[in-house]
């Protein structure tokens, strides 16, 4: 069987000690808030035999600084629930004495913001119960860490291609001689003109 555990007990800081070879198992634990508790501030305990029938007069132990042994009650009005009043603020623990037993502890009175408000606990132990712990849901795979995309470096600006100096065209020999003759003729004409100007 699967243990019935009020998830609000985790918020209150309640703990469960469950020895491997316990004879008595806590099969149900429930918390009652102020709206439902009314004028009561009690720990209710019921103990079942291996067949699931409630047991009258079964001892249970309350620890709160000291120890107090109580008994479950009969049917009728009490419905086999034993109870213990939480008169003093603090943390309580409950188990079955003189036997290997689960132990529920760190049961606070009231609320975190008001430890004197009325709240109750309902605890059910069963002898010989085979508790099957629920298989925890697997944790989701962690989200992959994003790999930063590298910013590409700009292509380097190529050096400008140098413009070569213009190459003077090569002249063939006949043309070269013709140009030299023309140059000589022009120089002679300039010389004659200079003489006329100087006369």
């Amino acid at each position: 069987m699967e243990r019935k555990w009020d998830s609000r007990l985790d918020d209150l800081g309640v703990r469960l000690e469950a020895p491997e070879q316990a004879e008595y198992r806590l099969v149900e634990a429930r918390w009652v808030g102020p709206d439902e508790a009314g004028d009561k501030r009690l720990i209710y305990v019921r103990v079942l035999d291996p067949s699931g029938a409630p047991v009258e007069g079964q001892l249970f132990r309350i620890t709160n600084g000291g120890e107090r042994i109580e008994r479950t009650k009969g049917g009728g009005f009490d419905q086999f629930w034993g109870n213990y009043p939480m008169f003093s603020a603090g943390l309580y623990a409950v188990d079955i004495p003189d036997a290997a037993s689960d132990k529920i502890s760190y049961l606070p009175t009231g609320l975190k913001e008001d430890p004197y408000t009325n709240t109750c606990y309902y605890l059910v132990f069963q002898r010989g119960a085979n508790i099957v712990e629920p298989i925890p849901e697997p944790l989701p795979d962690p989200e992959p860490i994003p790999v930063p995309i590298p910013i590409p470096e700009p292509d380097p600006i190529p050096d400008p291609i140098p413009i070569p100096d213009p190459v003077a065209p090569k002249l063939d020999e006949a043309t070269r001689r013709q140009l030299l003759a023309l140059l000589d003729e022009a120089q002679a004409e300039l010389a004659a003109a200079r003489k006329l100007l100087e006369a």
Side-chain angles (χ1 to χ4, degrees):
M1 65 185 301
E2 194 170 305
R3 179 182 289 112
K4 296 178 181 178
W5 180 267
D6 189 336
S7 60
R8 295 173 297 177
L9 296 172
D10 297 321
D11 299 332
L12 293 170
V14 176
R15 301 179 189 176
L16 175 64
E17 302 171 25
E20 186 176 352
Q21 301 298 328
E23 180 181 356
Y24 286 88
R25 292 294 188 190
L26 180 70
V27 296
E28 183 177 350
R30 184 166 61 93
W31 179 78
V32 170
D35 292 340
E36 190 177 347
D39 61 351
K40 298 179 177 62
R41 192 189 303 175
L42 300 170
I43 297 174
Y44 290 94
V45 178
R46 177 188 279 173
V47 181
L48 310 177
D49 66 15
S51 68
V55 179
E56 180 180 354
Q58 170 66 51
L59 301 179
F60 62 92
R61 175 168 47 201
I62 301 289
T63 306
N64 174 239
E67 290 186 1
R68 179 68 180 266
I69 303 298
E70 297 287 340
R71 293 178 182 270
T72 58
K73 298 181 180 181
F77 177 79
D78 293 307
Q79 294 295 303
F80 298 97
W81 289 102
N83 63 72
Y84 182 80
M86 295 183 287
F87 289 135
S88 59
L91 299 175
Y92 290 78
V94 183
D95 66 344
I96 305 300
D98 303 325
S101 168
D102 286 355
K103 182 177 183 179
I104 185 169
S105 57
Y106 292 90
L107 300 166
T109 58
L111 303 171
K112 291 181 179 179
E113 60 274 17
D114 183 6
Y116 295 100
T117 192
N118 292 334
T119 58
C120 296
Y121 296 94
Y122 286 83
L123 310 175
V124 180
F125 290 84
Q126 184 174 359
R127 184 164 64 89
N130 183 22
I131 295 294
V132 178
E133 298 294 344
I135 299 174
E137 295 182 3
L139 296 175
D141 295 332
E143 295 184 3
I145 300 175
V147 178
I149 300 175
I151 300 175
E153 296 183 1
D155 295 332
I157 300 174
D159 295 333
I161 300 174
I163 300 174
D165 295 333
V167 179
K170 293 184 178 181
L171 302 176
D172 57 64
E173 185 62 24
T175 303
R176 189 178 70 82
R177 288 180 180 179
Q178 185 178 2
L179 290 174
L180 288 174
L182 291 173
L183 184 59
D184 290 341
E185 183 179 347
Q187 287 178 346
E189 291 178 354
L190 286 172
R194 181 176 292 168
K195 288 180 179 181
L196 289 175
L197 291 172
E198 291 176 354

